[in-house]
Amino acid sequence: MERIAIDLLWLRPGKVGGTEFYIRNLLDGFLQLDRPFEFTLLVSKDNRKTFEHYAQDKRITLLEANVVSANIAKRILWQFFFQNRLLRKHKLYRCFVPVYCRPVFNGGVTYINTIHDLQAAHYPEYHPFHEIAYSKLCWWVDVRSSKKIIATTNYVKLDLIERYKIKDDKIEVLNIPAMVNLNEITSLETVEKKFNISDGQYYYTVAQMIPHKNLETLIRVMAELRDRRSRLPLRLLVSGISGNASENVRNLIRDNQLEDIVTLTGFISNEERNALYRHCRAFLFPSIFEGFGMPPIEAMAFGAVVITTDRTSIPEVTQGKANYVGDPFDVDAWISKMEAPEKKNDEFDFSIYSRAYLADKYMDYLQKNLK
């Protein structure tokens, strides 16, 4: 059996958002499989410790590269010039990269990449020039040089085909393991006390504060509810790490005098997040662009009513079981959905996002195509 390398040099713990949850969930799923495989995790000096527990399974080993993931520029240069040499030295000729960044040349190594979205191509105004240039270079290398591409949704697959004119059979759609641990939850009393909320009397969202997450619309929704003296709950909690729209969001809260209504929780534990999912009046997800989008699935798993948009991959991953706002920027449209949302969680097939199920599908695909 050929050993497959998994490139993790890009992973800066706690800094790369959903892609980190994606690969850690997938690795956890691999451990659940009762089948033979041999993986070598290519790790960096500063992320190695977070992956050492996987090596307790005899099917997994670690290979540390002489690189620091936190130094992005040096890491990229090292990957371009030295990664293939290191892999060949250790007789690793097959490599799975769970993101889009990889060496420019194959150098005797067969690669499969995951592409999560083409966000920088659709919204270049949200990214600095160097990020756009690097992303476009990597996508071009992926589609030209990698043996296969994994897309996380059909939306991403069609986007790749349209933009790069590549053949349908080069891209496989394999979803992200998005299921959360339903037992990883703190008590209602804990979150009530910490965030000054009551059961079912607040709205909740999880998103990085970047422009396409469209959080500013939710702030305007809460201002309108207050001004209308609506009977709907006048409380919104927003969890997530900051981003380049955080100043605009904070200013909008301040300018509308919503400091007692909208709370930016910052990063919180999984246990607290899951409790907020379970006890909210509804989970609001106003994003206008997602390659996948895990939070609505997580919220539905904990029983929350989800109100979201009908943009990009969101209806696909939520299986048409959420409440969809046709115009993501229309405050009245949001309020209309919030007044009488439908709950279709019982019709949702959560099994297709389980770690073991998807790990088995990934394993089949990698072992078949990395030969």
Side-chain angles (χ1 to χ4, degrees):
M1 179 181 298
E2 289 283 350
R3 180 169 287 273
I4 297 172
I6 300 180
D7 179 2
L8 301 171
L9 299 182
W10 52 275
L11 197 154
R12 293 170 289 129
K15 303 290 186 181
V16 293
T19 50
E20 178 172 2
F21 291 106
Y22 160 63
I23 190 55
R24 292 193 189 278
N25 281 349
L26 191 56
L27 290 172
D28 290 341
F30 288 144
L31 294 183
Q32 296 176 35
L33 299 182
D34 184 19
R35 58 186 290 185
F37 63 85
E38 293 184 24
F39 285 152
T40 294
L41 307 185
L42 182 60
V43 297
S44 65
K45 290 181 175 296
D46 56 336
N47 71 20
R48 178 187 179 119
K49 285 187 178 180
T50 68
F51 292 105
E52 285 182 341
H53 64 285
Y54 291 107
Q56 295 174 10
D57 190 304
K58 294 181 179 179
R59 299 170 292 183
I60 296 177
T61 58
L62 302 185
L63 174 60
E64 182 180 310
N66 185 25
V67 66
V68 175
S69 295
N71 191 326
I72 298 174
K74 286 187 176 180
R75 185 265 298 171
I76 291 172
L77 290 173
W78 186 93
Q79 286 193 281
F80 281 177
F81 294 107
F82 299 105
Q83 177 167 317
N84 291 329
R85 186 184 304 177
L86 178 65
L87 293 177
R88 291 196 308 269
K89 178 181 177 180
H90 291 270
K91 301 186 184 306
L92 294 164
Y93 302 104
R94 293 149 181 82
C95 186
F96 168 49
V97 186
V99 290
Y100 64 94
C101 52
R102 48 148 290 173
V104 173
F105 302 104
N106 288 335
V109 178
T110 301
Y111 283 94
I112 288 179
N113 280 80
T114 298
I115 296 181
H116 295 260
D117 60 58
L118 301 179
Q119 180 193 127
H122 287 279
Y123 295 98
E125 65 271 26
Y126 299 158
H127 299 269
F129 174 79
H130 67 276
E131 282 187 9
I132 299 169
Y134 177 63
S135 296
K136 288 184 175 181
L137 170 63
C138 289
W139 295 330
W140 187 88
V141 172
D142 292 344
V143 299
R144 303 300 176 210
S145 300
S146 292
K147 184 177 180 181
K148 297 285 185 179
I149 300 294
I150 293 172
T152 55
T153 57
N154 283 294
Y155 166 76
V156 175
K157 177 176 180 174
L158 294 175
D159 202 16
L160 282 165
I161 291 173
E162 180 179 354
R163 189 168 294 267
Y164 289 100
K165 312 304 178 187
I166 54 180
K167 294 182 178 179
D168 180 277
D169 61 1
K170 183 164 184 175
I171 309 175
E172 183 75 8
V173 175
L174 294 173
N175 291 146
I176 290 176
M179 283 307 297
V180 287
N181 183 350
L182 297 180
N183 296 317
E184 192 178 21
I185 184 170
T186 194
S187 67
L188 171 61
E189 292 75 16
T190 298
V191 292
E192 281 183 325
K193 182 177 180 180
K194 181 172 181 177
F195 300 111
N196 189 28
I197 56 174
S198 299
D199 188 12
Q201 295 303 306
Y202 64 94
Y203 295 102
Y204 187 45
T205 192
V206 175
Q208 187 179 4
M209 284 186 277
I210 50 182
H212 73 266
K213 297 297 184 180
N214 192 28
L215 292 174
E216 293 181 20
T217 295
L218 292 191
I219 308 305
R220 295 188 178 95
V221 166
M222 300 312 294
E224 183 67 19
L225 290 178
R226 178 200 57 197
D227 295 345
R228 289 185 186 183
R229 301 181 182 275
S230 171
R231 294 183 179 181
L232 295 176
L234 267 181
R235 197 78 169 85
L236 171 67
L237 271 62
V238 181
S239 295
I241 58 177
S242 62
N244 57 6
S246 58
E247 185 176 354
N248 289 342
V249 171
R250 295 177 191 279
N251 288 342
L252 196 59
I253 293 171
R254 185 191 65 244
D255 294 346
N256 284 278
Q257 299 179 327
L258 294 170
E259 292 90 343
D260 295 332
I261 293 174
V262 180
T263 299
L264 305 179
T265 71
F267 177 83
I268 61 175
S269 69
N270 289 346
E271 290 83 359
E272 291 175 332
R273 179 203 63 195
N274 295 344
L276 292 175
Y277 280 147
R278 176 160 291 173
H279 298 286
C280 66
R281 173 68 167 262
F283 180 78
L284 311 179
F285 195 67
S287 177
I288 59 172
F289 184 89
E290 295 292 328
F292 188 84
M294 289 189 286
I297 301 170
E298 295 172 344
M300 293 179 81
F302 279 98
V305 173
V306 170
I307 305 173
T308 183
T309 71
D310 61 358
R311 299 299 175 91
T312 61
S313 68
I314 297 172
E316 178 184 343
V317 300
T318 55
Q319 302 174 16
K321 307 304 180 187
N323 298 269
Y324 303 99
V325 177
D327 182 350
F329 305 103
D330 187 332
V331 168
D332 289 334
W334 277 95
I335 293 175
S336 177
K337 289 292 183 182
M338 292 162 68
E339 287 174 340
E342 295 182 73
K343 188 172 184 178
K344 301 180 181 179
N345 300 42
D346 291 343
E347 302 173 20
F348 197 93
D349 183 4
F350 293 102
S351 67
I352 66 171
Y353 296 128
S354 75
R355 294 174 183 176
Y357 171 78
L358 282 167
D360 199 48
K361 291 178 72 69
Y362 271 83
M363 186 68 70
D364 285 343
Y365 189 73
L366 295 175
Q367 290 184 342
K368 175 184 177 182
N369 290 285
L370 285 176
K371 291 183 178 179

